Amino acid sequence: MRVIRVGTRKSQLARIQTDSVVAVLKALYPGLQFEIVAMSTTGDKILDTALSKIGEKSLFTKELEHALEKNEVDLVVHSLKDLPTVLPPGFTIGAICKRENPYDAVVFHPKFAGKTLETLPEKSVVGTSSLRRAAQLQRKFPHLEFKSIRGNLNTRLRKLDEFQEFGAIILAAAGLQRMGWQHRVGQILHPEECMYAVGQGALGVEVRAKDQDILDLVGVLHDPETLLRCIAERAFLRHLEGGCSVPVAVHTAMKDGQLYLTGGVWSLDGSDSMQETMQATICVTAQHEDGPEDDPQLVGITARNIPRQAQLAAENLGISLASLLLNKGAKNILDVARQLNDAH
């Protein structure tokens, strides 16, 4: 029986996410065996520094890509938001699975059960490892203080519950759902309060770009709507040259053949911001493809089973929205945010 080796981070959430993908693959390919290889990444090891300060794009992916390169694993399951918009040469995202809830969730200290961010006492400290969340929420809830909190989900929840430092912490709703911790969600943040990170809530499967066999194997996992939304989001972020050291956020929706993309940029304290919405017509009906392209990748993603025109339209939407913001002065907001983040 052929063995397919699947790389993953060691955290409980990463294992749960990887197991869910492997379960689907096992059902599709009963003749194959799947072996899970877990490893620690730089981001898992450096826990005393805010993510935005480490200054490394592939914090949670580098070691896994190294294993992929050395042929120690055949595919790697990631949270899509951890994958940079430009992948190292030789790699591609071969599948983007159906997105779960992309929103952010608030988990409150037990003593504040039943509260919302709005009703938390003055000067309460809210923990988040994300500049994007802190910038948006500071603007919306000026009575609160925001402080970095690191570690995997288990660690962060323990820090919240066992110490009196934080009144609440902000986490991705999808991660809490996958861990079975929905009961801890005290509030879901909607786009008008906090837009989400590019790719949030979706899982990406990274493979060797030239490994056609594995690309074919995982390609069936692509969820067309999630794929197109995430192409638009990633193209927006790439064109803005954003990463985790600047506050950039998005919101996307597909409705009646239209893809809607809202994107925004913020200063670190949220006082300065800019956001716009654009839409594009996306036709997802299959069309005849003339043959393989030389470089089928768009924003690091390969999806030969989804109409190319639809993918290009989604990418174009992201680029157009980024260009619109840049023309209106977004570059200045991002440059200042980058410099301030580097200086702190």
Side-chain angles (χ1 to χ4, degrees), residues 87-212:
L87 296 182
F91 302 106
T92 189
I93 299 164
I96 293 180
C97 309
K98 189 173 172 57
R99 188 176 224 164
E100 294 212 23
N101 182 342
Y103 298 113
D104 287 315
V106 189
V107 178
F108 294 91
H109 187 282
K111 69 180 176 196
F112 292 131
K115 294 256 187 227
T116 63
L117 288 181
E118 207 153 355
T119 58
L120 273 180
E122 190 83 21
K123 297 256 180 292
S124 292
V125 177
V126 177
T128 172
S129 54
S130 149
L131 295 179
R132 169 189 62 80
R133 291 170 182 152
Q136 292 181 80
L137 294 172
Q138 243 165 312
R139 183 188 178 103
K140 201 88 184 162
F141 305 103
H143 70 292
L144 301 175
E145 289 179 8
F146 293 85
K147 198 177 162 197
S148 175
I149 183 169
R150 289 288 322 281
N152 60 39
L153 282 191
N154 312 55
T155 308
R156 281 184 262 176
L157 279 176
R158 196 173 64 247
K159 284 180 181 173
L160 171 70
D161 291 343
E162 292 178 10
F163 305 107
Q164 298 302 314
E165 186 180 2
F166 297 102
I169 59 176
I170 317 288
L171 301 164
L176 288 163
Q177 278 174 357
R178 291 180 186 127
M179 295 283 276
W181 292 342
Q182 295 91 324
H183 63 283
R184 289 303 309 263
V185 175
Q187 181 180 3
I188 292 281
L189 297 172
H190 293 291
E192 51 282 1
E193 296 163 311
C194 189
M195 291 201 294
Y196 43 80
V198 165
Q200 185 160 312
L203 300 179
V205 181
E206 190 179 16
V207 301
R208 290 178 288 272
K210 297 266 188 284
D211 196 338
Q212 199 51 55

Side-chain angles (χ1 to χ4, degrees), residues 1-303:
M1 221 182 197
R2 183 175 172 201
V3 178
I4 306 291
R5 298 149 308 162
V6 183
T8 176
R9 284 167 64 196
K10 277 184 174 162
S11 77
Q12 189 186 350
L13 176 60
R15 291 300 305 260
I16 287 171
Q17 292 180 166
T18 302
D19 288 346
S20 73
V21 171
V22 168
V24 176
L25 288 170
K26 274 182 174 164
L28 287 166
Y29 305 107
L32 297 177
Q33 208 173 336
F34 293 87
E35 183 188 307
I36 294 174
V37 181
M39 54 194 90
S40 289
T41 66
T42 309
D44 297 312
K45 292 170 190 154
I46 306 177
L47 292 174
D48 55 354
T49 312
L51 286 178
S52 56
K53 296 272 185 297
I54 303 172
E56 162 69 70
K57 268 212 172 83
S58 48
L59 272 180
F60 296 110
T61 58
K62 201 190 220 157
E63 285 77 0
L64 295 161
E65 284 171 342
H66 199 53
L68 204 50
E69 189 174 34
K70 293 199 306 199
N71 221 339
E72 290 167 2
V73 296
D74 301 299
L75 54 117
V76 176
V77 179
H78 301 280
S79 290
L80 185 61
K81 68 173 179 179
D82 290 339
L83 279 166
T85 54
V86 179
L87 296 182
F91 302 106
T92 189
I93 299 164
I96 293 180
C97 309
K98 189 173 172 57
R99 188 176 224 164
E100 294 212 23
N101 182 342
Y103 298 113
D104 287 315
V106 189
V107 178
F108 294 91
H109 187 282
K111 69 180 176 196
F112 292 131
K115 294 256 187 227
T116 63
L117 288 181
E118 207 153 355
T119 58
L120 273 180
E122 190 83 21
K123 297 256 180 292
S124 292
V125 177
V126 177
T128 172
S129 54
S130 149
L131 295 179
R132 169 189 62 80
R133 291 170 182 152
Q136 292 181 80
L137 294 172
Q138 243 165 312
R139 183 188 178 103
K140 201 88 184 162
F141 305 103
H143 70 292
L144 301 175
E145 289 179 8
F146 293 85
K147 198 177 162 197
S148 175
I149 183 169
R150 289 288 322 281
N152 60 39
L153 282 191
N154 312 55
T155 308
R156 281 184 262 176
L157 279 176
R158 196 173 64 247
K159 284 180 181 173
L160 171 70
D161 291 343
E162 292 178 10
F163 305 107
Q164 298 302 314
E165 186 180 2
F166 297 102
I169 59 176
I170 317 288
L171 301 164
L176 288 163
Q177 278 174 357
R178 291 180 186 127
M179 295 283 276
W181 292 342
Q182 295 91 324
H183 63 283
R184 289 303 309 263
V185 175
Q187 181 180 3
I188 292 281
L189 297 172
H190 293 291
E192 51 282 1
E193 296 163 311
C194 189
M195 291 201 294
Y196 43 80
V198 165
Q200 185 160 312
L203 300 179
V205 181
E206 190 179 16
V207 301
R208 290 178 288 272
K210 297 266 188 284
D211 196 338
Q212 199 51 55
D213 199 22
I214 298 289
L215 268 168
D216 292 342
L217 184 90
V218 302
V220 292
L221 299 173
H222 271 306
D223 175 68
E225 181 177 313
T226 303
L227 170 81
L228 295 168
R229 286 170 61 187
C230 290
I231 285 177
E233 293 173 17
R234 285 171 66 83
F236 171 72
L237 182 66
R238 181 195 269 189
H239 200 67
L240 281 177
E241 293 182 357
C244 64
S245 62
V246 286
V248 173
V250 292
H251 177 261
T252 48
M254 283 272 281
K255 200 175 172 203
D256 303 329
Q258 295 288 310
L259 176 56
Y260 298 85
L261 170 65
T262 302
V265 301
W266 285 261
S267 57
L268 288 190
D269 64 358
S271 59
D272 204 358
S273 80
M274 191 178 282
Q275 66 183 71
E276 290 288 345
T277 302
M278 286 177 92
Q279 68 191 82
T281 304
I282 305 274
C283 180
V284 195
T285 50
Q287 82 246 24
H288 175 66
E289 303 277 337
D290 286 338
E293 319 266 335
D294 286 341
D295 181 17
Q297 284 199 44
L298 293 183
V299 283
I301 300 162
T302 302

